[in-house]
Amino acid sequence: MAEPAEPPAPLRVALAGLGTVGAGVIRLIEANAALIARRAGRPIVISVVGARDRSKKRPVDLSPYAWEDDMVVMGERDDVDVVVELVGGADGPALSCARTTIEAGKALVTANKAMIAHHGLELAAKAEDKRVALKFEAAVAGGIPVIKGLREGAAANAIERVYGILNGTCNYILSTMEDSGRDFADVLAEAQAKGYAEADPAFDIEGTDAAHKLSILAAISFGSRVDFGAVDTSGITRLRAADIAQADALGYVIRLIGMAETEGAAGAQRLFQRVQPHLVPFDHPLAHVDGATNAVVAEGNFSGRLLFQGAGAGEGPTASAVVADLIDIARGEIGAPFSVPVAELEAMPRAESGHRMGRAYLRFMVADRPGVLAEITAALRDAGVSIESMIQKGRGGEAGEQVMVAMVTHEGPESAVSEALRLLEGSDSLTEPPLVMQILGE
Ligand code: NAP
Ligand code: HSE
């Protein structure tokens, strides 16, 4: 009689980082162990964990696991097949951990978009060289399987444009302010308490986190080299509650949108990448994306428009993406981290925005005196910008002696708006630099 087959060896995981996402990964692996083992073809078990402070009280029981103080050596341990890096930060211990893990010939899973945006190409080249997996589904759009969707589901398409809401914290702040009229700082504190924000929330509200994610999405979508430095980035820190109210009066909501697009003929393409708050028309699908939800739209030449939507941040959804990567690794799936080998990714020069056509929202804070409006409209006229609608918020508003003038332009080149703002530079009628937001088109 044949010997019974040996049960498959478990995939042994080292967990570096035990914060919001780390705790979520432990909970998920423990709660869904049986179904994960069935789908992965073998059990996935945590063998060792580590974080900064061993004595810290944690929301999960760590007693079943070994502790490792130095995450840099985790990948070198004999009881580890894959390291999950959930520390964060583009450099420092996260990067050292990633490098040593791959150099030791072990797989790496990370949720760290900052590290992948800055060092993803180096790490991917090392992983290809060592023939180990490097996976980062959780780095973009939290629990939404958008990297898998683009790498696998949409793999047959040329993607022409990818855009969407990529930061849960900003979306939570904007949609909560919109619904409740609450104060920015107060809502940001709530997003931090819910575990959505980065360790330094400036990365969220200044647009950097969305820019990290956009640069990764662009590389996967277009087969281009990750170029985080070329993302034109602005965040939501300059927005006032009055902008949200004016946008509403004009028929829009405000959302922080990341957009990447290729321009030009195949082989000589340029890459446009921008993160900026946009006005989104009430009837656009992205206008209804609220709270910490993210949504990514990808336009394929055969698939048409694809919409990926779901929780963009938080313990459970992010852990779900991390463990999905572990299941792939347990199944033996390696694949090129950026879909095509690093050596074949195209270096696309940056595309400037001046020739882009669109409508824009312009907001001026101005001194409340005669002639100011004439000065602004003259600059717009001289630059060839045509105004579609305008609202002036009267005296006695939140700004005291200042008056807010908000307008929406007709369609035209972005360079014309830039020229109008240049003409107004140094004007003592303006009490702060103007704010420009594009209006999201079709
Ligand atoms: P977090 O709650 O701040 O946890 C970070 C963990 O890393 C903590 O356990 C901390 O240790 C440990 N750590 C920090 N610095 C360390 C150091 N120098 N040496 C050793 N350990 C160190 O962060 P998180 O929200 O879980 O995020 C982790 C990663 O996932 C980040 O890259 C983040 O961008 C990414 N991410 C987060 C979310 C989300 O919704 N939170 C979503 C997607 C991606 P102690 O606990 O001992 O302080
Ligand atoms: N801080 C990030 C966000 C976490 O708010 O979207 C998810 O990447």
Side-chain angles (χ1 to χ4, degrees), residues 113 166-169 196-198 204 209 213 312-313:
K113 46 276 163 119
L166 300 174
N167 184 270
T169 303
Y196 303 151
E198 295 303 297
D204 296 292
D209 178 75
K213 293 165 178 165

Side-chain angles (χ1 to χ4, degrees), residues 170-235:
C170 287
N171 211 59
Y172 185 82
I173 293 172
L174 293 172
S175 58
T176 307
M177 286 175 74
E178 183 182 291
D179 290 345
S180 65
R182 281 169 55 203
D183 183 57
F184 186 103
D186 177 34
V187 185
L188 169 60
E190 196 171 279
Q192 287 177 282
K194 286 177 181 280
Y196 303 151
E198 295 303 297
D200 176 358
F203 278 82
D204 296 292
I205 60 178
E206 288 172 3
T208 314
D209 178 75
H212 286 146
K213 293 165 178 165
L214 184 70
S215 66
I216 298 168
L217 264 187
I220 303 268
S221 301
F222 310 133
S224 53
R225 293 178 68 81
V226 183
D227 194 358
F228 166 70
V231 186
D232 178 6
T233 306
S234 52

Side-chain angles (χ1 to χ4, degrees), residues 5-27:
E6 284 282 310
L11 182 78
R12 298 161 308 166
V13 176
L15 203 51
L18 297 167
T20 304
V21 186
V25 168
I26 293 177
R27 281 198 237 265

Side-chain angles (χ1 to χ4, degrees), residues 16-23 50-54 56 58 67 69 71 85-89 93 110-114 138-142 195-199 209 213 312-315 318:
L18 297 167
T20 304
V21 186
R52 186 167 34 199
D53 178 0
R54 186 172 186 171
K56 196 166 174 176
R58 310 275 170 189
W67 178 275
D69 276 318
M71 62 191 53
E85 183 280 306
L86 299 171
V87 172
T110 180
N112 187 338
K113 46 276 163 119
V140 180
Y196 303 151
E198 295 303 297
D209 178 75
K213 293 165 178 165
E315 177 184 316
T318 312

Side-chain angles (χ1 to χ4, degrees), residues 250-283:
L250 293 163
Y252 303 94
V253 296
I254 299 179
R255 293 287 180 267
L256 185 70
I257 302 286
M259 178 171 299
E261 199 166 0
T262 53
E263 295 177 3
Q269 284 175 317
R270 290 184 169 270
L271 177 59
F272 174 78
Q273 302 178 95
R274 176 159 68 192
V275 169
Q276 189 191 62
H278 279 61
L279 266 65
V280 181
F282 286 157
D283 61 359

